[in-house]
Amino acid sequence: MTGSLKWKLPKRELFLFLFMAGFGLFKQFLVYNLPIMAVPKGIHDDWIMVHMAETLRNGQWLGEYNDLTLTKGMFFPLYLAVCNFFHLSYLNVTALCYTVSCMLFVYGLRPLLKKARAMGLLYLALLWNPVSYSVQAFQRVYRNSISYIQVLLIFGGFLALYLRRKEPLKKQVLWVLTAAFGTVSFFYTREDAIWVMPFLLVFLVIYLGSIFCLWRNTRERHYIGKGVLVLVPFLCLWLTGQLIAAQNEKHYGIRTTNELQDSGFAEMYKSMMAVKPEEDIPGVTLTSEKIARMCDACPTLKELEPYFQSSKEYWAGPDGDADVWEVRDGWVFWIVRTALAQAGYYENGAKADEICIQIRDELEKAMDEGLLERQATMPSTYMSPWRKGYLGDLFGALGRAVAYTTTYEEMETLVYLYSEPDENGGNLLFERITGDKTVWYESDMIELAGWYAVYEGMENVTLRAETAEGGVLGSVEFSESEDIAAYLEGQGKMVPGAEKCRFHLKLYVKDKSQPVYLKSYRDGKLLDSYELGTGREGFETESSRLNLDWYWDVPERHGLLADIAYKGVILNGIRQVYHYSGGVLAALGFGTWLILSGLLLRGVWLGLMRKKKMPGEQSVTEQLVLTSLLFSYLVLLGGISYSEISGWNAILYWYLSGAYPVMIAFEVLAVLSGIRVLRNWKQ
């Protein structure tokens, strides 16, 4: 049309998008209604995530200050709180976010992949990644469930920027935002996010170097803008850290994002690890004898000595012998923090930080004066000091980690996933925050939600569940329902007070053979009576209406599991395909990368020494992308392998969840590159 912009989506583009969206929706259907894995007794991991989400949701920042508050990144609790604010299912949102991240990653690499078939193949391989629907890295309500999403955003965003470095500046904005969100969210989710730093640093050097060369050759000013734009994710990372630290200072008196990374505790703990133990116990740096010697050399630490013992008794449990128990490095910092908490130092952040700095200074002085022997430590505070013989062990563990990840070991989707409620009602908190359901072993629970309106008005109306004898099982606390008021008004019913008529009840009925009634009263006078379980939609009379959005009891939940059992069969079947083909694809990918690397080096050597044609830009770019993915994967596996041999059992797929999409992307891209080179050679 003349004088107007006419935008038309090419059929091939539309088909590709519908292809991706269709498979994404199918996967969304398969994970819908799966139960969550609630671990309310995991107060240092799962519970603290959900608890902080609740406090964020209530406008209380991260809640009360104690030895748990600033030990984990705050992004995952924020993620849960946002889902809860919009009344969205945690599992559904997580699955959708992963699908979107797969699409962004594939579209980000489009200049490299070029063909729609290659993009579709990579998308499918990433989409059905078994870690994205496994029990420990998806159904479990813990931060590992978003690591693989964040990793795809980081690598997809930054690689897209490099691949589009010659394109107009406006085409890079989406990828800068993608990279920024992935980087910021990842670094403030996990303390071990440092494994992506080598990739980020190398990327920055290569990208800025390439931009500088392009600017020098063309003198086009937009390259300067690109050089500045690529720094935005790093600026956002710093600014977000300042914002979080400022909030922590405001609420707790300590300016830090995480006490395990940057605080007096981190410095004190590093000094503790620097003291050389006299006993050589594998995986144990803070031995009992070493703690005793440190206490003798440091007056402030001496005051904590009784609390170290009581802390060990707490962590050893009722069946453990704390007197002979040596704590491995992966958990020992919790012994120290528990001791500080028992001594009363976690009243506020400033007090805790002050005492930790004081202990650090005393330890450093004792080592400088020769009272305690110093040993070398690792760059990361929480990595065990290097020991003789570790090199061979490290390569052995790395080999096990490669075999473990490439064959997708231990992953499983559980439909019959039972959670045992604790005495504090922790499962209820998990369900309330996530909007998803657990399945309990006990069978005396009934749960229902909906709304109830008396057309004359809701003033002084009460609604409660009762037994046939009149025993009260629970009373409703009505919540906001402006949508219901608008709906009733649309039906021609002006109901005063209908803005607050929603309810949610959990009941515990020991004898389910007897009926349970939902009864309403006004000023003590009975208005309506409804027998639960006789219908699923409620009732309507001339004077009132009860609407049940849903009604579940535990046997019904078990029945639901039977109804969705086929989903587990399908998902676990797909995982088996990955399990049996993973090793072959990994070998093909790595072998192809070696061959392509050799061909590239040979081409460069011939170009320099014999003045032949240098390798093309496409070949160089492919090799840079493949190498960045491979080495990032190995860096993560290397860190996990070191933890495995030195501190704790770390080769587990939920700790490695971020490695799987990187590994899959490398394997598929390497094979596709090999096929392209083979076709060109045949021609």
Side-chain angles (χ1 to χ4, degrees):
M1 291 178 62
T2 305
S4 66
L5 283 175
K6 186 176 180 181
W7 182 79
K8 184 178 180 181
L9 186 67
K11 288 184 178 180
R12 184 173 296 180
E13 292 295 320
L14 179 62
F15 178 78
L16 177 62
F17 177 79
L18 292 177
F19 172 85
M20 292 184 177
F23 275 102
L25 288 173
F26 178 57
K27 183 183 177 184
Q28 200 76 25
F29 166 74
L30 289 179
V31 301
Y32 174 71
N33 260 0
L34 289 178
I36 58 170
M37 177 183 180
V39 189
K41 294 183 180 180
I43 62 172
H44 297 82
D45 294 312
D46 307 54
W47 179 85
I48 190 62
M49 297 284 100
V50 178
H51 170 69
M52 288 196 295
E54 183 178 45
T55 59
L56 282 166
R57 180 72 174 83
N58 295 334
Q60 301 168 332
W61 190 230
L62 302 179
E64 71 286 352
Y65 180 76
N66 54 41
D67 57 317
L68 304 178
T69 308
L70 299 180
T71 58
K72 306 283 186 181
M74 59 81 62
F75 181 81
F76 183 70
L78 178 63
Y79 172 76
L80 290 176
V82 171
C83 291
N84 181 268
F85 178 80
F86 289 105
H87 304 286
L88 298 173
S89 156
Y90 157 73
L91 290 183
N92 289 339
V93 172
T94 302
L96 179 61
C97 286
Y98 181 67
T99 298
V100 172
S101 71
C102 290
M103 295 176 74
L104 284 170
F105 183 85
V106 172
Y107 275 112
L109 268 62
R110 182 171 201 152
L112 188 69
L113 294 165
K114 291 184 170 54
K115 295 184 178 180
R117 283 179 295 179
M119 294 174 66
L121 182 62
L122 177 58
Y123 173 75
L124 289 179
L126 289 170
L127 180 69
W128 296 106
N129 173 10
V131 79
S132 67
Y133 46 86
S134 60
V135 61
Q136 290 280 359
F138 176 66
Q139 293 173 271
R140 182 179 176 185
V141 187
Y142 195 50
R143 56 187 181 168
N144 301 314
S145 66
I146 61 173
S147 293
Y148 42 86
I149 299 170
Q150 296 163 325
V151 164
L152 281 178
L153 296 179
I154 293 171
F155 283 87
F158 281 111
L159 291 176
L161 284 174
Y162 179 76
L163 295 172
R164 290 167 174 79
R165 64 194 182 279
K166 296 180 181 179
E167 296 183 5
L169 196 62
K170 62 181 181 180
K171 290 190 176 182
Q172 298 200 344
V173 173
L174 170 64
W175 306 111
V176 166
L177 296 176
T178 300
F181 183 79
T183 303
V184 171
S185 65
F186 191 52
F187 272 80
Y188 295 114
T189 297
R190 301 196 57 86
E191 298 76 61
D192 59 359
I194 194 171
W195 70 270
V196 301
M197 282 302 297
F199 164 78
L200 296 178
L201 294 175
V202 173
F203 162 82
L204 202 57
V205 170
I206 293 177
Y207 182 86
L208 291 177
S210 176
I211 290 295
F212 175 76
C213 292
L214 291 170
W215 172 81
R216 188 180 60 181
N217 293 334
T218 64
R219 298 295 174 174
E220 295 178 3
R221 296 180 61 183
H222 66 90
Y223 286 116
I224 298 175
K226 292 175 183 178
V228 174
L229 190 65
V230 79
L231 300 177
V232 168
F234 303 94
L235 178 62
C236 290
L237 182 64
W238 180 79
L239 289 175
T240 303
Q242 295 301 306
L243 178 62
I244 295 172
Q247 286 295 313
N248 287 335
E249 184 176 31
K250 174 183 175 182
H251 289 85
Y252 310 126
I254 178 172
R255 189 174 182 83
T256 185
T257 59
N258 188 292
E259 285 186 326
L260 301 187
Q261 295 176 301
D262 178 26
S263 70
F265 179 85
E267 296 183 32
M268 176 195 72
Y269 188 75
K270 189 169 186 177
S271 295
M272 286 181 164
M273 299 296 278
V275 176
K276 187 175 182 178
E278 292 182 351
E279 293 183 70
D280 185 14
I281 304 175
V284 179
T285 303
L286 290 186
T287 61
S288 296
E289 62 80 21
K290 172 177 160 177
I291 292 175
R293 286 189 295 110
M294 288 193 301
C295 289
D296 289 340
C298 305
T300 307
L301 200 60
K302 184 69 173 178
E303 298 174 7
L304 283 174
E305 192 168 26
Y307 299 104
F308 279 120
Q309 181 61 27
S310 60
S311 176
K312 286 181 66 177
E313 291 172 357
Y314 168 79
W315 280 90
D319 300 324
D321 188 350
D323 292 329
V324 298
W325 182 42
E326 296 289 355
V327 189
R328 295 197 70 184
D329 290 352
W331 294 279
V332 72
F333 72 89
W334 285 118
I335 302 290
V336 179
R337 290 186 72 84
T338 302
L340 288 166
Q342 291 176 347
Y345 289 120
Y346 280 104
E347 292 180 4
N348 59 71
K351 181 177 181 180
D353 209 52
E354 181 182 356
I355 195 68
C356 290
I357 292 293
Q358 189 172 336
I359 294 172
R360 178 209 64 183
D361 291 344
E362 292 176 0
L363 285 171
E364 291 295 323
K365 181 180 179 182
M367 285 186 282
D368 291 341
E369 293 177 352
L371 299 176
L372 298 170
E373 186 178 355
R374 187 186 296 272
Q375 65 178 357
T377 58
M378 299 295 285
S380 174
T381 306
Y382 299 95
M383 292 181 71
S384 302
W386 182 268
R387 297 189 184 200
K388 185 179 180 181
Y390 267 4
L391 186 60
D393 294 340
L394 180 60
F395 279 108
L398 182 60
R400 294 196 302 274
V402 169
Y404 179 86
T405 52
T406 55
T407 54
Y408 303 87
E409 288 294 336
E410 297 187 285
M411 293 184 193
E412 186 178 11
T413 303
L414 292 181
V415 172
Y416 290 89
L417 177 60
Y418 295 101
S419 298
E420 295 186 12
D422 68 338
E423 61 276 8
N424 297 320
N427 274 11
L428 305 182
L429 174 62
F430 276 73
E431 291 184 349
R432 185 170 70 250
I433 293 298
T434 63
D436 293 300
K437 299 300 175 185
T438 60
V439 182
W440 297 11
Y441 280 108
E442 64 181 27
S443 61
D444 61 352
M445 187 186 76
I446 293 175
E447 182 181 15
L448 63 152
W451 55 271
Y452 174 71
V454 180
Y455 297 148
E456 292 182 356
M458 296 296 292
E459 185 177 2
N460 298 329
V461 171
T462 58
L463 184 66
R464 64 194 190 194
E466 300 181 3
T467 64
E469 293 77 22
V472 178
L473 298 172
S475 297
V476 164
E477 182 177 343
F478 289 113
S479 59
E480 300 296 329
S481 56
E482 292 184 2
D483 58 326
I484 302 302
Y487 166 76
L488 291 173
E489 185 177 346
Q491 299 293 312
K493 297 179 174 66
M494 303 296 295
V495 181
E499 298 83 3
K500 204 169 185 179
C501 67
R502 283 196 182 279
F503 66 86
H504 178 202
L505 266 182
K506 286 183 182 287
L507 311 172
Y508 297 90
V509 184
K510 293 183 179 180
D511 184 6
K512 286 196 172 181
S513 65
Q514 300 299 315
V516 176
Y517 297 90
L518 202 59
K519 295 184 178 183
S520 64
Y521 300 86
R522 190 196 301 274
D523 296 324
K525 180 181 178 180
L526 180 65
L527 297 176
D528 291 305
S529 179
Y530 171 73
E531 184 178 347
L532 293 177
T534 57
R536 290 293 179 269
E537 297 180 357
F539 65 80
E540 184 173 17
T541 68
E542 293 182 358
S543 60
S544 63
R545 177 172 175 180
L546 170 70
N547 188 83
L548 291 182
D549 296 332
W550 45 267
Y551 171 91
W552 273 11
D553 61 22
V554 168
E556 282 189 271
R557 291 190 181 195
H558 292 191
L560 172 69
L561 300 188
D563 291 340
I564 65 173
Y566 71 93
K567 295 185 177 183
V569 174
I570 294 173
L571 291 170
N572 287 317
I574 296 172
R575 179 258 169 187
Q576 286 294 96
V577 174
Y578 278 76
H579 171 67
Y580 288 112
S581 64
V584 176
L585 186 59
L588 282 174
F590 184 69
T592 302
W593 175 80
L594 285 177
I595 293 172
L596 294 178
S597 298
L599 291 174
L600 182 64
L601 292 174
R602 179 177 179 272
V604 172
W605 184 81
L606 290 174
L608 293 175
M609 303 300 295
R610 300 187 180 182
K611 307 302 181 183
K612 292 189 176 182
K613 185 179 179 181
M614 294 288 285
E617 184 178 345
Q618 174 77 7
S619 298
V620 174
T621 300
E622 283 182 351
Q623 203 60 18
L624 283 174
V625 171
L626 288 174
T627 303
S628 68
L629 293 171
L630 175 62
F631 278 63
S632 297
Y633 164 76
L634 293 175
V635 167
L636 174 56
L637 262 62
I640 289 291
S641 298
Y642 189 80
S643 297
E644 174 80 14
I645 66 172
S646 65
W648 45 288
N649 181 25
I651 301 179
L652 298 167
Y653 72 82
W654 48 99
Y655 294 132
L656 287 160
S657 62
Y660 290 93
V662 177
M663 176 186 72
I664 291 170
F666 166 77
E667 292 168 349
V668 174
L669 289 172
V671 171
L672 290 174
S673 296
I675 293 173
R676 181 189 61 80
V677 170
L678 186 61
R679 284 178 176 173
N680 291 339
W681 178 74
K682 285 185 176 181
Q683 292 174 357

